[in-house]
Each structure stands twice: as structure tokens, then as C-alpha cells.
Amino acid sequence: MRVRVVGAGVVGLTCALRLAQDGHRVDVVAAGTGEQTTSSVAAALWYPYRAHPRARVTGWSATTYRVLCGLADDPATGVRLRRGRELFRRPTAEPWWRAAVPALDRVRGDRLPPGYVDGYELTVPVVDMARHLPWLRDRSVRAGVEIRPGRVPALADTFTDGVHAVVNCTGLDARELTGDTSLTPVRGQVVVVSQVGLDEWLLDQTDPGHLRYVVPRTDTVLLGGTAEEGDEDRHPRPETAEAIVARCTALVPALGAARVLAHRVGLRPARPSVRLETERTAPGPVVHCYGHGGAGVTLSYGCAAEVAELVAALD
């Protein structure tokens, strides 16, 4: 089939690659690519954050976990496996997504920083999106995918050049393209600092609006963050950046020696549930794949596999 993917974030590119690998003729049309996408701002720590429903998210996350682990042996992919801990200030149960990972260990007592009483430790993929997005784009092109810039005013307009089906991976832009008022932007601001010898990630969600996460990469460390519902300001706020650095440094004192390298803001496309389904429209079938919240990277390869199944069912 001739399939057109709209959107070139991590979800759009993984869908395009998977469809091309299945033998379809695929092109991608996107208003923004690379650093212009929300995916480029992501901490990209494998973690099912603000995505629903739980059962389907766990399945998609498990698939992505396996794929990313398989990519970690190649430095060009930007994927590395890192041990890390989520910390809690009160006793907690195992995470609802426990079935998605092969191993998870409880952390208690003197293995916790002061002020924390519970936690768990696990190894997960951490993806440097500055490397992974270009790698994913190049791999898609080698598989025969054509990627071109372009803003789509309406999904119906994409059924040109003999296109049989469209895959809608437009994230927050799906509000306008589909009239989906359930989509909500969740503003995330992060700070990129120099690497100071850290190799373990840490996460504390005690305050859902003022998160603490420290995600080491090869040459940098990403510090976060915020989760501001309904806020669409894409400009970094100096006072927010200062608060992020202060929170993370209190958790990891070694960050006091880090140099601030960059400030980034992204708008997570939150929705009551990820929309992954086929819609029959007058011009042709549209497979929707959007609303991944703060888990686009975590769900990407799993959702791409299901998109491929839906497209195959159109034959």
C-alpha cells in the first residue's frame, strides 16, 4: 500500500520505519522535524509517564523496552541502558507498569537519600534524542521512506499521489486536524548541564507539578522538570530553570559543579487515553496514533507495531 505518515517526531518516524519494513511505500509529511519536534526535548528515559489506559500502555511499553534494549549495543542509536531509582517519601506499591520490565528491585533504608522512605531500582533504556532522531530518520530513508516538510491544513488533503491510507502522528496538532478537544498541552521545561561523572538516573514525583529528575547522557545531564497543564508557553522561564537546578542539586550535590548548557521547553500531548485506532473517512482510512502524554519515546516502537497491524488489516 502507499501510506502517508503525518508527523516526524519519534512516533511518526517509528511508524514510518515499521511500515516501510513491512513492504509498504511510505512517505512522511511534517511541519517540523528534528529539533523542531517535541520529541527532541524529551528526557527520553524509558518510563510510562502520563499515558493511558494502563493495560495497553504496559503492552506498548514492554515492546519498546525490548526494541530499545536491542539498539543499545550500537552507539549511533543514542540508546544506552542505565541503572536508576525512583524515590518516594512514603511507602508505595510496585508501579502499575511492572509487567513491562524484566526486573525491578525495592530500595529501602540507608540506600535512600535523606527524606525518602521507599524506592525501586531498575535498568531502563535512556535515549539521547539528539542522536536517536537523526539515526531514526536516516534508517527510515534507507528503508525507502521519503521525508518532506509541509504543513497539513486537513487530513483529507493528504490523500493525494495515490495514497491509500494516512497515519496521523501529529501529537498536539491533532487538536486542530481532528477537532479533538480532549488533548491538553502539558508544558515541560528542562535544563541541560555538563556531565559531571553521573551514570545513574533519579526520579522523584512527590510534587507532580514540580518534578525532580536527573537523566545522565554521554556528554550531558538533563535536569527536570515541570508539568504545567494547559500552559502553551514554549519559551524557557529563568525562574523556573533556577528552581529546577536547585531541586536537582539538592538531590544530587555533584550537580553543583555542572555548567548550564541549554534550556528547553516542550508541550506534552496529554489525553485521557492514547488514540490508536482506524477511522474510515470519505477520502480513505486514517490510522490515528497520538495523545502519548509524556511517554512518546516509551510507547513509540510498541505503538508502531500496532499501527502496522491496523494498516495490514486494511488490505
Side-chain angles (χ1 to χ4, degrees):
M1 296 178 65
R2 184 166 179 79
V3 184
R4 178 159 291 156
V5 177
V6 186
V10 68
V11 173
L13 290 179
T14 50
C15 286
L17 176 60
R18 177 57 187 267
L19 290 166
Q21 291 172 333
D22 283 358
H24 301 290
R25 292 171 292 150
V26 183
D27 66 12
V28 175
V29 180
T33 60
E35 291 189 355
Q36 299 169 319
T37 65
T38 298
S39 299
S40 69
V41 183
L45 168 74
W46 182 99
Y47 189 96
Y49 175 64
R50 294 189 75 127
H52 311 278
R54 289 184 172 185
R56 297 185 78 190
V57 166
T58 299
W60 294 324
S61 300
T63 298
T64 303
Y65 185 97
R66 292 191 296 270
V67 173
L68 291 177
C69 285
L71 297 177
D73 290 336
D74 182 357
T77 66
V79 182
R80 293 192 67 177
L81 299 180
R82 291 192 182 273
R83 193 77 173 166
R85 292 176 290 165
E86 181 165 8
L87 307 171
F88 300 91
R89 297 185 183 274
R90 62 184 64 182
T92 188
E94 286 193 337
W96 54 265
W97 42 263
R98 170 65 185 87
V101 295
L104 182 146
D105 300 319
R106 300 310 296 245
V107 181
R108 293 192 173 98
D110 58 7
R111 296 185 60 209
L112 294 167
Y116 295 96
V117 301
D118 204 352
Y120 46 77
E121 186 175 53
L122 68 162
T123 298
V124 301
V126 175
V127 186
D128 184 342
M129 297 306 287
R131 298 185 182 190
H132 190 64
L133 282 176
W135 175 86
L136 193 53
R137 178 189 177 102
D138 290 347
R139 192 176 180 199
S140 298
V141 170
R142 290 198 301 271
V145 177
E146 177 189 354
I147 301 174
R148 56 188 175 86
R151 184 167 292 278
V152 174
L155 289 176
D157 297 338
T158 59
F159 284 92
T160 59
D161 308 316
V163 166
H164 300 108
V166 169
V167 180
N168 173 23
C169 302
T170 54
L172 196 59
D173 287 344
R175 285 184 304 179
E176 286 71 37
L177 283 174
T178 68
D180 189 342
T181 58
S182 70
L183 271 167
T184 302
V186 179
R187 183 180 184 272
Q189 181 168 331
V190 298
V191 181
V192 182
V193 302
S194 60
Q195 179 58 273
V196 288
L198 302 181
D199 57 14
E200 179 185 78
W201 57 268
L202 290 171
L203 171 62
D204 172 10
Q205 300 187 76
T206 303
D207 183 342
H210 300 86
L211 307 169
R212 298 188 193 202
Y213 51 88
V214 178
V215 183
R217 295 171 174 173
T218 303
D219 303 316
T220 61
V221 182
L222 191 143
L223 310 181
T226 64
E228 301 161 288
E229 286 200 26
D231 190 335
E232 300 194 41
D233 180 10
R234 297 178 185 267
H235 299 92
R237 297 169 184 158
E239 66 278 9
T240 300
E242 291 175 8
I244 290 171
V245 172
R247 290 198 300 272
C248 292
T249 303
L251 185 60
V252 184
L255 289 168
R259 292 178 293 110
V260 173
L261 303 176
H263 302 274
R264 307 215 186 281
V265 175
L267 304 181
R268 305 176 183 96
R271 196 173 183 273
S273 64
V274 175
R275 187 179 185 190
L276 208 174
E277 63 182 3
T278 302
E279 179 186 12
R280 301 283 179 172
T281 71
V286 176
V287 177
H288 296 286
C289 185
Y290 66 84
H292 299 84
V297 174
T298 302
L299 306 182
S300 56
Y301 288 90
C303 285
E306 186 163 327
V307 165
E309 292 175 0
L310 294 177
V311 170
L314 299 174
D315 289 343

